[in-house]
């Protein structure tokens, strides 16, 4: 108790992860596992997962998840990290409460980050205008609709906004974020304990192997399916 | 309905992930995200998460999870994948119901896999005797107590048993498993959609940077703390 009441102890900085129904689970859990090491290492950070309700929320896997906090309980996190997904993430662009939370919490956060199509949610909240950004390769072109400049890098840092590429890129981005918040040595220790020494069994991605432009109709179909009841938003994204 | 009743349609093979309280969440979610792509790609696999109860279960992050199935509902999965963790995983070695499930389901599964210290649970269930295996680097030495031969590789395949290194190694192992179950081309497509092209910001792990033997007391302390009420099991693992 003495320690908790010590007026000289620094208040922990709050790192909040957004949760919502249908998200891609690894988008959330990759960086969540990385950042959760900070308080475990005794550093002054608090990591929370925040949703409109306490769920449980479905994900794009068979596992449902239970965020521990609601939006009104975490109004001003120091760091806000937003996972992506497929149709449910696109549909969430029309969720006024969720976008409103990103807009207000994002305005005061020291760092706002996204993984994968979480960048589309940041864009709809007005947080990408005039910035370089990335998202899942399938939806990279859409970023320009929010006034962002798409950049095909593993993660893109532009001032307070960091946007990662698809799904697994959240792990790399989070280790970068640990270095930014707590130094390179801490980041290397987190990497050691997560034994993050990737060896993709099929080798690195060979982008020349895939006919990437042929996937454009899939991206458009996802937007149309998810926003079938949101013609104004769809028109902004697709020139309808 | 006609399709579901078509007697010539192959029954989906069941890929079951174990869940239990306190596990390391990325141990579960990395491979879960990878394997969940199989049914999404229209391939005849069903992916489930199974626990003693439907939870919700705490994890080693602030996110709790809800498995959708119980042990009695998935008695004989074709593939069984077991995540690890720290003290809660070690304590689960003394959970008769959980170990009993691994023993019976593991005896009939075509493939039994573990991530991180999930290998200790396989070992306690008798599934590693006489096999090469790996686990999180911190606990690798303990594998010999189960009659296994420790091998320091990203994942180790010995017949039906595949054991991965710590935490993030489950992603690599799962992509290997996709190749084994559904071919290399499917594995490369899963890799593309997860954009798994890792770029650790601090570079690959440099094992010479860390004084690995100095961590041995941490491993022992974890065993002693988790098994304080299980002296027989502790003696088996520690020569007490």
């Amino acid at each position: 108790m003495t320690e908790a009441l010590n007026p000289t102890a620094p208040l922990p900085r709050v790192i909040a992860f957004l949760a919502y129904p249908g998200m891609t689970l690894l988008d959330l859990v990759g960086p969540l596992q990385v950042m959760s090491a900070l308080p475990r290492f005794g550093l002054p950070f608090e990591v929370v997962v925040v949703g409109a309700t306490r769920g449980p929320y479905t994900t794009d896997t068979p596992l449902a998840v239970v965020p521990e906090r609601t939006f009104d309980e975490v109004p001003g996190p120091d760091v806000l990290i937003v996972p992506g997904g497929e149709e449910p993430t696109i549909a969430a662009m029309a969720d006024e409460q969720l976008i409103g939370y990103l807009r207000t919490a994002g305005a005061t956060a020291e760092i706002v980050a996204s993984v994968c199509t979480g960048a589309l949610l940041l864009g709809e909240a007005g947080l990408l205008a005039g910035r370089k950004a990335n998202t899942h390769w399938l939806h990279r072109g859409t970023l320009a609709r929010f006034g962002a400049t798409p950049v095909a890098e593993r993660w893109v840092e532009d001032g307070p906004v960091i946007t990662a590429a698809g799904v697994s890129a959240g792990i790399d981005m989070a280790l970068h974020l640990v270095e930014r918040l707590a130094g390179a040595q801490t980041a290397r220790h987190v990497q050691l304990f997560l034994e993050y020494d990737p060896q993709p069994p099929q080798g690195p991605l060979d982008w020349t192997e895939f006919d990437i432009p042929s996937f454009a109709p899939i991206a458009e179909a996802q937007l149309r399916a998810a926003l079938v009841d949101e013609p104004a938003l769809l028109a902004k994204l697709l020139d309808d």
Side-chain angles (χ1 to χ4, degrees), chain A:
Chain A
M1 287 303 288
T2 352
E3 272 186 44
L5 292 175
N6 182 347
T8 65
L11 279 177
R13 289 153 90 188
V14 174
I15 301 171
F17 285 83
L18 180 72
Y20 54 92
M23 65 200 154
T24 291
L25 187 52
L26 185 56
D27 284 22
L28 170 66
V29 170
L32 178 65
Q33 192 75 54
V34 171
M35 305 312 287
S36 294
L38 290 175
R40 186 165 315 164
F41 284 6
L43 296 168
F45 295 89
E46 183 185 8
V47 178
V48 298
V49 180
V50 60
T53 71
R54 290 186 208 280
Y57 290 148
T58 59
T59 71
D60 72 339
T61 76
L63 195 69
V65 298
V66 186
E68 57 170 359
R69 303 286 182 84
T70 54
F71 291 157
D72 56 323
E73 293 171 338
V74 190
D78 299 282
V79 178
L80 176 62
I81 301 176
V82 178
E86 299 186 276
E87 280 88 346
T89 302
I90 297 167
M93 295 170 67
D95 180 333
E96 294 289 345
Q97 186 188 12
L98 185 150
I99 296 297
Y101 177 72
L102 295 187
R103 197 175 283 124
T104 57
T108 54
E110 177 189 334
I111 295 169
V112 180
S114 64
V115 181
C116 196
T117 53
L120 303 183
L121 300 176
L122 296 192
E124 184 60 18
L127 296 165
L128 297 186
R131 297 196 185 278
K132 294 180 290 180
N134 200 7
T135 183
H136 192 285
W137 58 266
L138 183 63
H139 288 283
R140 192 179 294 131
T142 303
L143 292 174
R145 303 292 176 136
F146 305 111
T149 304
V151 178
E153 288 175 9
R154 192 68 177 158
W155 72 88
V156 179
E157 187 165 22
D158 189 337
V161 178
I162 309 178
T163 50
V167 196
S168 60
I171 298 173
D172 293 330
M173 182 192 75
L175 283 166
H176 166 72
L177 202 45
V178 168
E179 179 166 339
R180 180 163 159 177
L181 292 169
Q185 190 177 17
T186 296
R188 286 196 299 273
H189 273 97
V190 175
Q191 183 179 5
L192 175 67
F193 273 87
L194 300 186
E195 211 163 339
Y196 187 54
D197 198 24
Q199 297 175 29
Q202 291 80 27
L205 267 182
D206 173 8
W207 293 95
T208 67
E209 179 189 346
F210 307 102
D211 180 13
I212 296 296
S214 74
F215 288 103
I218 295 182
E220 181 173 334
Q222 282 188 357
L223 291 169
R224 290 191 187 282
L227 299 175
V228 64
D229 297 325
E230 302 290 339
L233 184 48
L234 195 60
K236 182 169 93 175
L237 301 177
L238 279 178
D239 281 337
D240 270 15

